[in-house]
Amino acid sequence: MLVIIFVLTPVVFLSGCTCTFLASPEKQEAYNDYIAKTQKLGNSLDRLEQLNKSVYDMLQDINYDFNNTAEAYTALGKITASLDIYMDELDVFITDCDNVIYASQKYRTYLNPDSSEYKQLLNNETSLTNSVQNAKKLKELCISTKSLFVEMNTWMQKATALLNKFNEGKSLTTGQEFYTWLITTRPVLDGYSTESNILISMTDDTIKQAQINNMPDDGIVSLRQFKNFIISSNSEIVSSYNTLVDLYNSQYGSAFGYVSKA
């Protein structure tokens, strides 16, 4: 989990400095710029931790009721919109950190390298650099999560189309109808299976990104459960199709032509 290891206030940043008049207008300007950028960044720290938790909560709650497609579509739409906002906020945070680092570096050029103030600024720059790296990793997790949820939307569309084909199969009355149904259902089934494999691969990628971000175990478990759900769903639907193929071949194959299993 992303941890902020310092408090961004001018008092902490400049602890140990001697409160004397600055020697030049340039030094005063550098100091003022540093303070202004530090204060701006300070407003972002709490929000960054909230973003961190929000992304984890999304992944922890990934196992939706996919039988209720309308509810699932609504949830996915809200999540992808939220992730866009989160990524924009992370970009702002990273830019603000970089601005503070640059301002600090500029201000340090006017300080004695042996002074406590100089060393404090240097330490804070290192901490900020680490925070930027953590924020970038969190953004990568956001990107991976959004891609996963967008792909999930496509998978649901394929699943719905396949379910509709199976519902059509309930009204078959002749061997010819059975043959036609199997032949026209196979491409829909293949599309669903392909999409399932893509979603499984993307879930693996998201798990890796979550682990890089030290995501809590319950979130990782939820992602693995979701992956297993996709695998089992795909296996069950293929098995159901193949059972119908066997039934057709045994009763009508010799008359209308045999059909291959998926």
Side-chain angles (χ1 to χ4, degrees):
M1 182 176 290
L2 185 63
V3 177
I4 303 299
I5 60 174
F6 60 91
V7 179
L8 283 174
T9 65
V11 174
V12 173
F13 264 77
L14 301 179
S15 60
C17 70
T18 57
C19 299
T20 57
F21 292 106
L22 300 180
S24 68
E26 291 81 5
K27 183 177 181 181
Q28 181 69 59
E29 182 180 352
Y31 172 81
N32 291 343
D33 183 55
Y34 165 69
I35 293 299
K37 287 182 169 57
T38 296
Q39 290 173 336
K40 184 175 186 296
L41 176 60
N43 296 330
S44 303
L45 289 175
D46 291 340
R47 181 56 181 156
L48 184 63
E49 284 301 307
Q50 293 171 6
L51 292 177
N52 203 57
K53 183 178 184 304
S54 294
V55 175
Y56 292 167
D57 288 345
M58 283 181 182
L59 295 178
Q60 185 176 341
D61 298 334
I62 194 173
N63 294 296
Y64 301 105
D65 180 9
F66 290 102
N67 292 319
N68 189 337
T69 54
E71 180 179 305
Y73 277 128
T74 299
L76 292 176
K78 289 180 178 178
I79 285 173
T80 52
S82 295
L83 285 167
D84 284 334
I85 295 173
Y86 296 167
M87 287 188 284
D88 287 343
E89 292 189 54
L90 285 169
D91 285 338
V92 171
F93 176 80
I94 291 168
T95 298
D96 287 348
C97 283
D98 287 339
N99 288 340
V100 172
I101 293 172
Y102 176 79
S104 177
Q105 291 170 338
K106 185 175 181 180
Y107 177 54
R108 276 194 295 106
T109 63
Y110 298 99
L111 301 178
N112 183 345
D114 294 326
S115 68
S116 59
E117 182 180 354
Y118 184 99
K119 294 175 182 177
Q120 181 66 54
L121 291 171
L122 195 60
N123 288 337
N124 286 331
E125 288 168 25
T126 299
S127 296
L128 271 178
T129 299
N130 292 335
S131 295
V132 167
Q133 293 305 313
N134 287 331
K136 288 180 177 179
K137 287 191 293 185
L138 182 58
K139 184 179 178 182
E140 287 300 317
L141 177 58
C142 286
I143 293 172
S144 179
T145 301
K146 181 183 176 181
S147 297
L148 176 64
F149 282 111
V150 169
E151 200 67 33
M152 196 186 303
N153 192 305
T154 303
W155 174 80
M156 287 176 58
Q157 293 174 9
K158 300 281 187 180
T160 300
L162 185 58
L163 178 61
N164 291 337
K165 288 296 293 183
F166 269 83
N167 286 334
E168 291 174 9
K170 295 177 182 179
S171 60
L172 301 176
T173 58
T174 67
Q176 183 63 58
E177 288 179 348
F178 203 169
Y179 174 82
T180 301
W181 180 86
L182 289 172
I183 295 301
T184 57
T185 299
R186 179 61 185 272
V188 182
L189 175 62
D190 289 345
Y192 168 81
S193 295
T194 298
E195 191 62 37
S196 294
N197 290 331
I198 292 173
L199 193 57
I200 290 167
S201 177
M202 295 185 72
T203 304
D204 284 335
D205 291 341
T206 303
I207 289 173
K208 291 178 183 177
Q209 287 295 331
Q211 290 171 330
I212 290 173
N213 279 270
N214 297 317
M215 184 177 180
D217 289 340
D218 50 1
I220 302 294
V221 169
S222 293
L223 282 166
R224 287 175 176 153
Q225 288 174 340
F226 173 71
K227 174 184 174 181
N228 291 335
F229 165 74
I230 299 299
I231 293 173
S232 63
S233 296
N234 186 61
S235 177
E236 288 172 9
I237 200 70
V238 170
S239 177
S240 296
Y241 177 83
N242 287 337
T243 297
L244 292 172
V245 168
D246 285 337
L247 177 63
Y248 164 83
N249 284 337
S250 66
Q251 294 184 1
Y252 304 107
S254 60
F256 299 100
Y258 290 94
V259 176
S260 299
K261 291 184 179 180

